[in-house]
Amino acid sequence: GAGVEDGGDDADDSDGAGEAVDLDAVLAALDGAGVESDGDDADGAEEGGDSPESPDETDDGSAYFNEELGVLTLDGDGGEPDPAAQVRFLAKVAESAEDEETRAVAAFRVAFAYYNGLGVEPNVAEALRWFQKSAEAGDADAASILGFAFENGEGVEENAAEAARWLRFAAEKGNADAAHNLGRLLQEGGVGLESDAAEGERWLRTAAEAGFAPSAARLGRTLTEGWFGEPNPTEGVRWLRKADELGDVEGTFFLAIAYRRGLGVEENRREGARLLRKAAEAESGEAATLLGVCYLTGDGVYEDEAEAVRWFRRGVELGVTAAVERLARCLADGVGVERDVEEARRLLRLALDEEENEELRAVLAQALREIELGEENA
């Protein structure tokens, strides 16, 4: 997905046909759109104005303001909620309201409806058209979504320069997710965009300092490993620790790696293993696999072959190819588990059918050859 979520004040997820559309922000400025909430009915547009006609004067259904719920509800024939009428009404407000914030909120919700198929047929291109209207009216979340779409070619032609433009717009308005994606994009570059590692790091810092955990994790890796310049492992570990504290599983995993390697901290295999377990329990497949290796070899933990197999299985469940190879070898040799050569072969062949990475395929194929050769020589 394009990261399109119910944005609280910025979007309303009315996935149930009977739910009202939350229009608090729109209603606050509907006078500018020529629509009033008087009693139980929304009256028509002011004479001589360019605002949209009232829904109860069209075939869109009737509109009334529910004072208790604080929402505008649109009903179709027979008084049943009509999501399509809601979308049409929001589109009119987005096009005609005088207040910019009103237009932005309404356009965002129309875009949300098209993206998720709420009252209309799903249409990514149409959703992006409305997201752009919302962004042009000042909505940072809409601009962030546009940036994601242009970066990934979702509904539009891939264009990293255009992605950066929209992400920068959102980031400058304080959107941490956009600042993170802008920083990453500037570090890596892309279609029509030259990399600028220093500027990218600056935006990652902005997001990380605002408490955005993925930015703290990426900044930590960037500095610890020296991705785009001289490594600074001491500062890198500081950001990895921040990411870990914020609950970012990637930050926890790479903080474990830093302790295991002595990067920016004194080497401490026991602490590394503790952090690996923490990440594995948070569903990091890579951490689960490496923790299995630790138990298999007694690296930072007591040696326990059965525990190693348990973590290899967890790695397989989480989709890690290296875990398949490790588990298959344990099964073939009866290490930590009852010997089962056929199951080992089955796992390896299934992984070979699904894996596309040539290096990983070579690892799986080698394990399968060695297992089959061992059986022939037995």
Side-chain angles (χ1 to χ4, degrees):
V4 182
E5 300 177 351
D6 185 342
D9 290 338
D10 297 318
D12 179 70
D13 184 357
S14 44
D15 55 357
E19 295 180 353
V21 175
D22 180 356
L23 281 175
D24 291 340
V26 173
L27 290 171
L30 277 182
D31 285 344
V35 181
E36 300 175 353
S37 55
D38 182 13
D40 289 338
D41 297 305
D43 295 333
E46 298 173 357
E47 292 184 9
D50 295 328
S51 52
E53 56 187 340
S54 173
D56 62 0
E57 296 175 357
T58 72
D59 60 1
D60 289 355
S62 63
Y64 64 88
F65 183 63
N66 186 318
E67 296 286 355
E68 181 178 355
L69 297 177
V71 294
L72 184 75
T73 300
L74 287 147
D75 290 346
D77 293 337
E80 293 298 321
D82 186 347
Q86 293 175 341
V87 174
R88 290 194 293 271
F89 179 76
L90 284 168
K92 291 176 181 179
V93 174
E95 294 283 12
S96 304
E98 294 179 4
D99 178 73
E100 194 172 62
E101 181 181 357
T102 301
R103 295 199 308 275
V105 173
F108 190 103
R109 297 185 181 194
V110 174
F112 187 79
Y114 273 107
Y115 192 87
N116 293 281
L118 304 175
V120 290
E121 288 296 316
N123 186 326
V124 173
E126 186 67 4
L128 291 176
R129 187 174 77 84
W130 284 100
F131 278 130
Q132 182 164 339
K133 286 179 178 292
S134 180
E136 288 171 346
D139 190 278
D141 289 338
S144 181
I145 290 167
L146 278 175
F148 181 96
F150 276 107
E151 181 184 358
N152 295 279
E154 182 174 350
V156 290
E157 185 176 349
E158 184 178 334
N159 186 328
E162 188 69 2
R165 183 172 77 87
W166 286 112
L167 290 172
R168 188 182 299 278
F169 175 87
E172 289 174 348
K173 285 180 169 286
N175 186 296
D177 187 63
H180 172 80
N181 286 324
L182 177 60
R184 175 183 49 73
L185 183 60
L186 287 169
Q187 284 183 329
E188 297 172 353
V191 178
L193 179 71
E194 292 187 6
S195 64
D196 186 336
E199 180 73 355
E201 183 179 315
R202 186 177 75 81
W203 281 110
L204 286 176
R205 284 183 184 277
T206 297
E209 288 167 355
F212 193 67
S215 292
R218 183 175 176 91
L219 183 59
R221 291 193 67 191
T222 296
L223 294 169
T224 301
E225 301 176 29
W227 282 357
F228 303 100
E230 286 295 317
N232 185 344
T234 301
E235 186 182 3
V237 164
R238 181 170 69 84
W239 284 111
L240 289 175
R241 186 171 286 112
K242 179 67 172 178
D244 171 54
E245 292 169 355
L246 290 169
D248 186 275
V249 65
E250 182 175 308
T252 303
F253 175 70
F254 285 103
L255 182 59
I257 298 301
Y259 271 103
R260 286 173 56 79
R261 296 179 180 174
L263 297 173
V265 291
E266 184 177 349
E267 181 179 325
N268 187 331
R269 312 289 277 195
R270 185 178 296 277
E271 178 65 5
R274 184 190 71 80
L275 289 163
L276 285 176
R277 177 181 284 274
K278 181 179 178 181
E281 289 174 346
E283 300 196 343
S284 166
E286 290 80 3
T289 304
L290 185 51
L291 184 59
V293 174
C294 290
Y295 275 108
L296 192 63
T297 61
D299 184 357
V301 293
Y302 55 87
E303 187 175 326
D304 186 333
E305 293 176 347
E307 187 72 356
V309 168
R310 184 172 80 86
W311 285 110
F312 290 148
R313 288 191 188 279
R314 186 61 180 142
V316 171
E317 291 170 357
L318 292 169
V320 178
T321 299
V324 176
E325 185 260 348
R326 288 286 186 170
L327 178 58
R329 289 187 182 277
C330 288
L331 286 165
D333 296 335
V335 174
V337 65
E338 185 177 349
R339 190 167 184 267
D340 190 339
V341 175
E342 286 308 310
E343 177 64 5
R345 287 170 170 164
R346 186 191 71 81
L347 286 171
L348 289 168
R349 288 169 180 159
L350 180 62
L352 276 167
D353 288 341
E354 297 177 350
E355 182 59 60
E356 297 180 356
N357 182 283
E358 289 303 320
E359 290 184 4
L360 292 176
R361 284 181 57 82
V363 170
L364 295 169
Q366 178 66 22
L368 183 58
R369 282 194 299 271
E370 290 177 6
I371 290 170
E372 291 180 335
L373 182 61
E375 284 298 290
E376 292 174 3
N377 294 333

